[in-house]
């Protein structure tokens, strides 16, 4: 509560110049004003006009404004308005509702645009928007789109039943427009709460509905207010019968009744003849609640005569009494002869079997019958239309201000028997001015004329605020904390802050102040001016004609910052300019919080010179009594000048004769700026020798000197020998230099030309040699040079580099491959030790004991079953370690080859890297990316209607279909409908997994413009799925497959949210990995028919047979594109189609794949001589082997290295092919039903059958062959390792940028897991893995063409699948033990998998430790994605396809909606029926 300052003034006559001016404050709006409200705390006025919001101060001066329109909109389109809304046009924004919410400093602004969406703006500056969102869907539409529909509101609260949370809300009363919801009263949130958004309706199925009655009642709301625990709405409506005449009602409900059970309507009559229930003025126009007396003032009009209106007055107590009477009559069961209630009826119920009064539960609201209306007589009538009313109480007089349709403002005293008050200016003398008893007129004695007495305000140093009179006291609020200057950093004595308070007032004397007792004192005397000043303490002094009056009083003032100030008023009155001036002086008094700096003078100020160097603002001094550095106020005797400097030590004490080394002088009072002297020379570096030794002298600022007791000595070091004198060229030999005086100078000043490691220093110098960098090792001894400081070099000869040692033999040889030798092994038979003679990989030989052992075992007997299990476990562990060792040996054997291959790959990809810089990575745009991710896996693939965007709709029906689809879009934005829709579909057995995936993708596109709403739906469905898995299934299985619509929705949501991350971060390493695999695969033979390659990661795609091949460099000319040739590397074993692919890839490398010519659209011609030859995979020259025909290769055509080939575009059709084949025999030969092969001919069917029934020996041989070629897989893996690691790091490094969606969703999973006891850490890990790595990254990794414009061949896909499987294994918690039967891909990455697993764990932990992403931040991000990309998507096609599901399961959906009360309240069944009628002429119940 703001503190209020009272400046008590007894004003006998008016004073102050400004009050007597004729200035008329006004504000002019450029457009029609719709609403005006005032902030009761600051008196600011807020004006809602068409297309604008204005913020005015109390003097109607504009402080701020914000434009709200015009903007593109169409009432039939669902916000946000995108290009899909083809009928959108610029529309004015009519302000429908303004509400001041002082509790959180916001103004609620609702307009007619965008289905009546509201916003929150700052009360201090309306141009600063606090909250706005147009993507939340139908649940947040508050106002009406129609100009004629009135909207009212009132701020309230909402107590949640389950946790007693107090929520900020406002209640809205609204008539019905054609595009509006059917609720009369709704409760709207003013904050986010759980899953609910700002402005969302808190009461889903309210008691007060207008669904069947909107056409009948035609509600017209005029006002809403709350008082004493009740909320009231005033409106007019028809009786609901054939009578179209509107009747006025006031509706009341308890403020804490959140379901409107207490809602009751009372008819209000404003009639001249109240006895006969003659409701002459039947339609309410405007309302005002006057607090003093709590009286409701309302203006009414007459329906039958639009030119007649009246002002009626209803005490609120009378309204409440009558309401209680009719309610009590109902509940005690008073009925008429026909058994109907005596006083009430149920206006909003359509059932004939209405509940009786007196029942325990009434399902619908009550309304009073006309005969029990509250009727009053008008206190004022007119023959024109009254449209507005406001009431004020001035000096205990009530004044009503009435507005008319003719733009007049009338001033009326509503007390019976009074007459309308005329303008003050019509009275020319004081007596007539006072005698008319107008509380707003007073005689201004200073200028001898009438003036308004209410010009009263306080001004605090430019901060102006309205003031009021209470008796003889002037009351105004002090400035709020934000208007107080900041507290100075150093606050001493004196004024903290001061304001000038200017109070101007012109008093019309109508009542006697308490200081006067005689009527004669109250006169109009211009010649006599008397002033009474009263202090808050009620002490006063009276002055008559003095030039100046003075008073002073004290009070305490506490700000919002919890600072307490002692303040004083100094008030003066100056007769000269009739100004009352108040100066407000405030001092800090008991500050609760104050920012201070604690400074300890003694820290690091051990002597006087350091103390005096401290910053002067801390007042540190060297105290002579304590001999320490302390705060000045604590010192009795400050030392004026510091003692002379004192030197205690010199480091080092020896230096070379040439000087130039660093010397450290230790001591006290050495000051900050000093001059050190050695032998009277300034010491920066040690100077050249002046004498053999001597003291060091220091001079500090001020001329004070100090001399050392210890001496510094000049001498020359003499190195004499180096030991050892020889070492290998590779370096690393530790040598020792001996000699005399080697410890001259300090270690930091010594360097040795042969060392690379830190040396030890003393009478001997020890250091390590570095490698010899020359190509030839010198045979002579090399000098070792020791450098002291800058100028002293000492040389000693005696070190020689020799050739590096080589290992020529080792014994025992077996010890390098086994864990021990035969001699080290111990073997026992029973308890007898037997010598081991031979130790091999799988067996050992020993000498048996000469006699039977006494015991059968060296160990105690134990449980045989556990012994067997332990032995089996140990055996498996040994097997596992053995396989790991074998793999390690295999990898070691191919390591050098991998390094070479990797180097070659990087060199060969340099051209590609330069291309990458020129043409960039061929990322797909957002539309193609989402099309491929969502719809390419569908059964129609690239021909899916969502990818082609083509709908087969007749032109004559296109407009009708588009309009119906827009309505269907609106329906999908109803959460109630969409949840029912999805549940109905998932309840049908024929709605299989493929359908669910496709439906979810369609839904993603259809709701893309409202991704916040899409996310809300997804969260709701996920919570249901969690409950199902946690309570009835295994929680670990959740999200593993796309068995539900929501699981695919999550996959699509991740794809949407990570698109930018792919482009910015992970896309480049993924593209490089893809290109590296492709490049490496194509370096070796690839069988075009069997889809197997020599270089691959996948053993099933490995080309086992050795194929001879050589690399050719072709010179390619492109027909019609100039003489330039492009060199292209190919293999002579490549098929012609493979050659074409490589040529196209190189020639058109700067174009994305989709813009390149296809293999079938080009011809390849070789011109070895004067004639050319067209090369093709199959022709008459193709070789045949029985029924098999070999695909032609370059070797088949004998194309040589450096050959020139011509690439030309052709258009092949079957007709042209037939016409150009003169020789039908040749054509028939080509069309024979022969089997074809490329590099390796598959076994015949008979051989294949035999192989299937082959012996175990054959299978073992096959396995052995696979293991032989495992080295080739390892070679490929080693070459690509860097690319794989780079990609994994880009995806699994939380230190880099983590997409906000990942953090947001992982936190969501963590929050839900904490709510359930049976969800452990492993389950959470699995959930996160299933939702991100498996659901998104594996999909992208296996399908690079989803994000890049590239073509992925089967052989490349085979290797990508192995990496994807490794990625999946890394994300699991299960430990994979290797055996000989393990898949090759697990064997390949056995060594790296533990590292990858740790990366995943660290990634999840890192995300958990990040700053949370708030709902608001996530919604802002989603809204930006919607805004940036929605226009590009095939939204209408998606809606059309979604409707096909609604049509197929129409009856089930209708049934589900009819069973849902929330759906019924929103008329969702009716809306779906209307859409069905428009789209397919479906017969409905309309």
């Amino acid at each position: 509560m703001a503190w209020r300052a009272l400046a008590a003034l007894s004003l006998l006559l008016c004073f102050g110049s400004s009050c007597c001016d004729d200035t008329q404050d006004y504000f002019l709006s450029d457009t029609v004003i719709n609403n005006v409200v005032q902030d009761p705390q600051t008196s600011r006025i807020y004006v809602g006009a068409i297309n604008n919001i204005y913020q005015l101060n109390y003097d109607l001066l504009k402080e701020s404004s914000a434009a709200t329109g015009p903007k593109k909109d169409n009432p039939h389109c669902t916000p946000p308005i995108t290009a899909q809304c083809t009928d959108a046009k610029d529309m004015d924004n009519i302000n429908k509702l303004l509400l001041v919410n002082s509790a959180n400093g916001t103004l609620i602004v609702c307009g007619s645009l965008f289905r009546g969406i509201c916003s929150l703006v700052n009360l201090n500056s309306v141009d600063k928007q606090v909250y706005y969102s147009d993507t939340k869907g139908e649940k947040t539409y508050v106002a009406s789109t129609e100009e004629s529909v009135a909207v009212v509101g009132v701020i309230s609260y909402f107590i949640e039943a389950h946790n007693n949370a107090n929520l900020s809300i406002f209640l809205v009363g609204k008539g019905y427009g054609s595009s509006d919801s059917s609720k009369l009263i709704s409760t709207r949130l003013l904050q986010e709460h759980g899953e609910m958004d700002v402005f969302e309706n808190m009461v889903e199925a309210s008691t007060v509905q207008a669904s069947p009655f909107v056409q009948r009642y035609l509600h017209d709301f005029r006002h809403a207010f709350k008082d004493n625990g009740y909320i009231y709405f005033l409106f007019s409506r028809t009786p609901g019968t054939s009578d179209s005449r509107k009747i006025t009602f006031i509706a009341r409900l308890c403020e804490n009744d959140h379901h409107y059970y207490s809602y009751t309507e009372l008819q209000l009559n404003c009639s001249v003849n109240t006895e006969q229930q003659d409701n002459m003025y039947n339609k309410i126009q405007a309302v005002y609640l006057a607090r003093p007396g709590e009286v409701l003032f309302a203006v009414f009009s007459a329906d039958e005569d639009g030119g007649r209106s009246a002002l009626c007055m209803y005490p609120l107590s009378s309204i409440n009494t009558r309401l209680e009477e009719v309610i009590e009559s109902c509940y005690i069961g008073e009925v008429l002869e026909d058994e109907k209630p005596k006083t009430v009826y149920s206006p909003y119920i359509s059932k004939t079997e209405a509940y009786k009064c007196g029942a325990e539960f009434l399902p619908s609201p009550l309304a009073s019958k006309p005969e029990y209306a509250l009727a009053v007589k008008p206190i004022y009538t007119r023959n024109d239309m009254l449209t507005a009313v406001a009431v004020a109480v001035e000096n205990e007089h009530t004044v009503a201000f009435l507005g008319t349709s003719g733009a007049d403002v009338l001033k009326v005293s509503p007390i019976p028997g009074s007459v309308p008050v005329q303008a003050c200016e019509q009275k020319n003398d004081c007596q007539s001015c006072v005698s008319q008893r107008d509380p707003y007129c007073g005689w201004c004695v200073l200028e001898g004329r009438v003036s308004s007495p209410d010009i009263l305000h306080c001004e605090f140093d430019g901060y102006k605020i309205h003031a009021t009179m209470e008796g003889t006291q002037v009351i105004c609020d002090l400035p709020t904390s934000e208007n107080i200057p900041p507290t100075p950093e150093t606050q001493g004595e004196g004024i903290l802050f001061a304001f000038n308070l200017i109070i101007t007032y012109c008093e019309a004397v109508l009542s006697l102040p308490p200081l006067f007792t005689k009527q004669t004192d109250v006169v109009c005397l211009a010649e006599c001016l008397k002033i009474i000043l009263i202090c808050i303490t009620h002490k006063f002094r009276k002055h008559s004609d003095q030039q100046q009056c003075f008073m002073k009083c004290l009070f305490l003032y506490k700000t919002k910052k919890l600072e307490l100030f002692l303040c004083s008023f100094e008030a003066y009155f100056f007769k000269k300019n009739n100004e009352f001036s108040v100066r407000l002086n405030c001092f800090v008094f008991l500050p609760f919080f104050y920012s201070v700096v604690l400074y300890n003078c003694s820290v690091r100020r051990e002597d006087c010179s350091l103390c005096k160097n401290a910053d002067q603002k801390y007042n540190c001094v060297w105290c002579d009594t304590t001999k320490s550095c302390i705060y000045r106020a604590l010192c009795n005797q400050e030392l004026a000048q510091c003692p002379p400097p004192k030197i205690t030590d010199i480091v080092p004490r020896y230096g070379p004769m040439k000087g130039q080394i660093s010397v450290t002088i230790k001591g006290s009072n050495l000051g900050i700026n000093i001059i050190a002297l050695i032998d009277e020379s300034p010491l920066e570096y040690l100077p050249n020798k002046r004498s053999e030794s001597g003291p060091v002298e220091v001079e500090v600022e001020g001329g004070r000197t100090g001399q050392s007791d210890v001496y510094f000595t000049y001498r020359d070091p003499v190195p004499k020998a180096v030991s050892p004198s020889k070492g290998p060229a590779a370096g690393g030999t530790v040598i020792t230099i001996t000699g005399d005086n080697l410890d001259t100078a300090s270690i930091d000043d010594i360097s040795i030309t042969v060392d690379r490691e830190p040396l030890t220093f003393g009478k001997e110098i020890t250091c390590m040699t570095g490698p010899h960098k020359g190509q030839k090792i010198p045979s002579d001894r090399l000098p070792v040079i020791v450098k002291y400081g800058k100028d002293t070099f000492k040389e000693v000869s005696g070190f020689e580099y020799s050739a590096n040692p080589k290992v020529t033999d080792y014994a025992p040889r077996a010890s390098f491959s086994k864990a021990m030798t035969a001699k080290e092994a111990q073997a026992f038979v029973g308890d007898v030790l037997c010598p081991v003679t031979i130790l091999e990989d799988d067996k050992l030989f020993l000498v048996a004991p000469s006699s039977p052992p006494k015991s059968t075992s060296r160990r105690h007997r134990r449980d045989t079953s556990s012994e067997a299990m332990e032995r089996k476990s140990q055996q498996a562990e040994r097997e596992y370690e053995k396989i790991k060792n074998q793999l390690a040996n295999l990898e070691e054997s191919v390591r050098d080859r991998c390094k070479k291959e990797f180097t070659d790959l990087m060199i060969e990809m340099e051209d590609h890297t330069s291309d990458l810089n020129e043409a960039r990575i061929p990322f797909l745009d957002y539309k193609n990316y989402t099309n491929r991710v969502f719809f390419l896996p569908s059964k129609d693939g690239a021909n899916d209607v969502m990818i082609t965007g083509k709908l087969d709709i007749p032109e004559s029906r296109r407009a009708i279909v588009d309009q119906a689809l827009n309505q269907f879009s609106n329906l999908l934005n109803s959460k109630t409908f969409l949840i029912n829709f999805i549940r109905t579909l998932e309840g049908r057995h024929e709605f299989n997994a493929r359908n669910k995936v496709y439906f979810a993708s369609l839904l993603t596109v259809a709701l893309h413009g409202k991704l916040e709403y899409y996310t809300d739906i997804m969260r709701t469905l996920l919570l249901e799925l969690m409950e199902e898995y946690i309570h009835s299934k295994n929680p670990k299985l959740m999200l593993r497959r796309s068995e539900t619509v929501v699981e695919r929705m999550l996959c699509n949501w991740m794809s949407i949210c990570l698109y930018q991350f792919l482009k910015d971060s992970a896309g480049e390493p993924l593209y490089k990995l893809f290109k590296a695999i492709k490049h490496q695969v194509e370096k070796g033979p690839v069988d075009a028919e069997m889809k197997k390659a020599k270089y691959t990661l996948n053993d099933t795609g490995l080309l086992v047979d050795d194929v001879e091949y050589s690399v050719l460099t072709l010179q390619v000319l492109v027909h019609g594109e100039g003489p330039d040739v492009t060199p292209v590397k190919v293999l002579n074993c490549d098929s012609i189609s493979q050659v074409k692919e490589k040529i196209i890839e190189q020639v058109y490398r700067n174009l994305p794949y989709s813009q390149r010519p296809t293999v079938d659209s080009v011809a390849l011609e070789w011109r070895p001589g004067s004639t050319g030859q067209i090369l093709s995979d199959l022709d008459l020259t193709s070789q045949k082997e029985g029924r098999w025909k070999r695909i032609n290769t370059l070797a088949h055509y004998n194309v040589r290295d450096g050959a020139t080939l011509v690439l030309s575009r052709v258009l092949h059709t079957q007709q042209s092919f037939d016409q150009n084949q003169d020789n039908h025999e040749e054509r028939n030969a080509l069309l024979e039903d022969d089997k074809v092969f490329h590099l390796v001919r598959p076994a015949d069917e008979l051989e294949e059958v035999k192989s299937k029934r082959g012996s175990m020996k054959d299978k073992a041989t096959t396995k052995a062959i696979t293991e032989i070629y495992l080295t080739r897989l390892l070679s490929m893996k080693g070459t690509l390792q860097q690319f794989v690691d780079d990609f994994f790091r880009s995806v699994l490094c939380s230190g880099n940028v983590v997409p906000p969606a990942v953090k947001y969703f992982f936190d969501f999973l963590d929050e839900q897991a904490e709510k359930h006891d049976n969800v452990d850490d492993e389950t959470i890990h699995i959930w996160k893995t299933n939702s991100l790595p498996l659901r998104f990254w594996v999909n992208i990794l296996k399908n690079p063409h989803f994000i890049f414009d590239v073509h992925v061949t089967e052989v490349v896909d085979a290797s990508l699948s192995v990496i994807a499987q490794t990625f999946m294994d890394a994300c699991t918690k299960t430990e994979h033990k290797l055996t000989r039967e393990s898949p090759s891909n697990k064997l390949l990455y056995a060594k790296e998998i533990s590292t990858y697993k740790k990366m995943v764990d660290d990634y999840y932990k890192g995300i958990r430790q990040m700053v949370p992403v708030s709902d608001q931040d996530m919604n802002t991000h989603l809204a930006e994605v919607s805004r940036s990309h929605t226009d590009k998507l095939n939204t209408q096609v998606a809606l059309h396809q979604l409707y096909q599901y609604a049509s197929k399961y129409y009856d089930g959906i209708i049934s589900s909606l009819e069973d849902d009360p929330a759906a019924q309240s929103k008329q969702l069944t009716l809306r779906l029926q209307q859409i069905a009628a428009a789209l397919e002429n479906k017969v409905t119940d309309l």
Side-chain angles (χ1 to χ4, degrees), residues 286-301:
V287 188
Y288 189 89
L289 178 66
R291 283 293 169 195
E294 293 186 331
V295 179
L296 203 65
F297 292 86
V299 291
F300 294 80
S301 65

Side-chain angles (χ1 to χ4, degrees), residues 642-932:
C642 290
K646 182 179 180 181
I647 300 174
T648 58
D649 197 7
I650 305 164
V651 180
R653 296 189 183 183
Y654 305 100
M657 302 298 285
K658 292 184 179 181
Q660 295 300 306
I661 65 168
S662 298
V663 176
T664 301
I665 301 171
K666 299 181 180 180
S668 60
N669 291 314
L670 295 175
I672 301 302
N673 299 314
I674 64 171
I675 301 173
L677 302 174
I678 292 182
D679 200 14
E680 298 182 353
S681 297
L683 177 62
E684 197 171 325
Y685 281 100
L686 187 68
N688 293 339
K689 173 195 168 186
R690 302 296 176 87
S691 59
E692 291 294 336
S693 64
V696 175
E697 184 176 302
V698 173
E699 180 181 337
V700 298
E701 194 173 350
R704 287 168 290 117
T705 62
Q707 195 174 73
S708 65
D709 293 331
V710 297
Y711 276 39
F712 183 86
T713 302
Y714 285 95
R715 67 185 188 187
D716 256 345
V718 183
K720 293 182 178 179
V722 177
S723 176
S725 60
K726 197 172 185 178
T733 304
V734 178
I735 61 172
T736 301
I737 303 171
T738 54
D740 298 331
N741 300 331
L742 295 183
D743 56 346
T744 300
S746 62
I747 189 171
D748 296 328
D749 283 304
I750 294 180
S751 63
I752 301 174
T753 56
V754 294
D755 70 333
R756 302 189 87 186
E757 299 295 328
L759 52 86
T760 59
F761 178 66
K763 295 185 180 298
E764 294 181 345
I765 299 174
T766 304
C767 61
M768 183 179 291
T769 63
H772 179 65
K773 295 182 180 180
Q775 293 184 352
K776 185 178 179 182
I777 301 174
S779 57
D780 300 331
R781 290 192 174 186
L782 302 175
V784 177
I785 300 173
V786 184
K787 180 181 177 183
Y788 289 82
K790 290 186 176 182
D791 296 337
T792 302
F793 296 87
K794 298 296 179 178
E795 183 178 307
V796 57
S797 179
F799 188 79
E800 178 184 344
Y801 277 112
S802 60
N804 292 327
K806 294 181 181 179
V807 177
T808 58
D809 197 8
Y810 57 90
R813 293 182 179 275
S815 65
F816 279 89
S817 59
K818 296 182 178 64
M820 65 184 79
T821 63
K823 291 182 179 180
E824 295 170 322
Q826 284 188 333
F828 291 84
V829 174
D831 57 352
V832 178
L833 177 64
C834 301
V836 176
T837 56
I838 301 174
L839 179 65
E840 294 184 356
D841 286 346
D842 55 353
K843 51 184 172 292
L844 57 83
F845 296 87
L846 50 88
V847 178
S850 57
S851 60
K854 296 179 181 178
S855 173
T856 58
S857 174
R858 294 185 65 226
R859 291 170 287 187
H860 295 291
R861 181 173 297 275
R862 58 186 178 183
D863 182 69
T864 55
S865 60
S866 61
E867 183 178 355
M869 288 178 62
E870 183 177 344
R871 189 159 56 243
K872 188 173 182 181
S873 173
Q874 291 174 344
Q875 181 180 352
E877 195 67 32
R878 285 195 298 271
E879 177 77 7
Y880 175 59
E881 290 299 323
K882 186 174 182 179
I883 292 172
K884 281 182 64 176
N885 290 334
Q886 287 178 341
L887 285 170
N889 292 335
L890 277 175
E891 286 206 59
E892 189 65 36
S893 68
V894 299
R895 189 177 305 281
D896 291 339
R897 189 197 313 171
C898 290
K899 288 181 180 178
K900 181 180 182 305
E901 291 278 355
F902 177 73
T903 304
D904 293 343
L905 180 61
M906 294 302 293
I907 293 172
E908 290 166 2
M909 286 184 66
E910 279 185 3
D911 292 339
H912 165 69
T913 306
S914 63
D915 295 341
L916 190 65
N917 294 333
E918 292 172 14
R920 305 295 177 189
I921 299 173
F923 283 108
L924 292 171
D925 60 28
Y926 188 83
K927 178 183 179 181
N928 284 302
Y929 163 73
T930 51
N931 279 348
R932 293 191 180 189

Side-chain angles (χ1 to χ4, degrees), residues 341-519:
K342 177 182 177 181
T343 58
V344 296
Y345 67 100
S346 298
Y348 308 118
I349 189 167
S350 57
K351 295 182 179 179
T352 55
E353 65 278 6
Y355 286 80
K356 296 180 181 180
C357 267
E360 292 183 2
F361 173 72
L362 292 175
S364 68
L366 301 175
S368 69
K369 289 185 175 181
E371 53 268 33
Y372 289 94
L374 181 62
V376 298
K377 292 182 179 180
I379 57 175
Y380 179 69
T381 60
R382 282 182 68 88
N383 288 327
D384 58 358
M385 179 69 77
L386 293 173
T387 57
V389 59
V391 177
V393 177
E394 188 69 28
N395 290 334
E396 300 180 359
H397 288 265
T398 303
V399 180
F401 295 88
L402 305 177
T404 73
S405 58
D408 293 324
V409 178
L410 307 174
K411 193 162 46 177
V412 175
S413 176
I415 299 173
S418 65
V419 295
V421 178
Q422 305 302 318
C424 297
E425 290 78 7
Q426 294 178 1
K427 305 301 179 182
N428 298 321
D429 60 80
C430 178
Q431 192 62 41
S432 61
C433 173
V434 175
S435 63
Q436 65 179 346
R437 300 175 67 191
D438 185 347
Y440 284 91
C441 292
W443 186 256
C444 189
V445 298
L446 301 179
E447 298 185 11
R449 64 183 178 86
V450 174
S451 178
S452 239
D454 63 341
I455 309 172
L456 182 62
H457 65 267
C458 302
E459 185 175 332
F460 295 85
D461 198 23
Y463 178 78
K464 202 178 222 183
I465 193 166
H466 172 60
T468 58
M469 282 287 295
E470 289 188 8
T472 57
Q473 296 180 334
V474 176
I475 299 178
C476 58
D477 289 336
L478 283 175
T480 54
S481 59
E482 58 264 23
N483 293 300
I484 298 176
T487 305
E489 291 185 5
T490 54
Q491 178 59 46
E493 295 184 1
I495 294 174
L496 173 63
F497 58 85
F499 293 107
N500 284 324
L501 172 65
I502 310 300
I503 299 178
T504 55
Y505 192 75
C506 191
E507 170 78 326
V509 184
L510 292 177
S511 59
L512 292 177
L515 298 177
F516 299 97
T517 57
K518 297 179 181 180
Q519 179 68 28

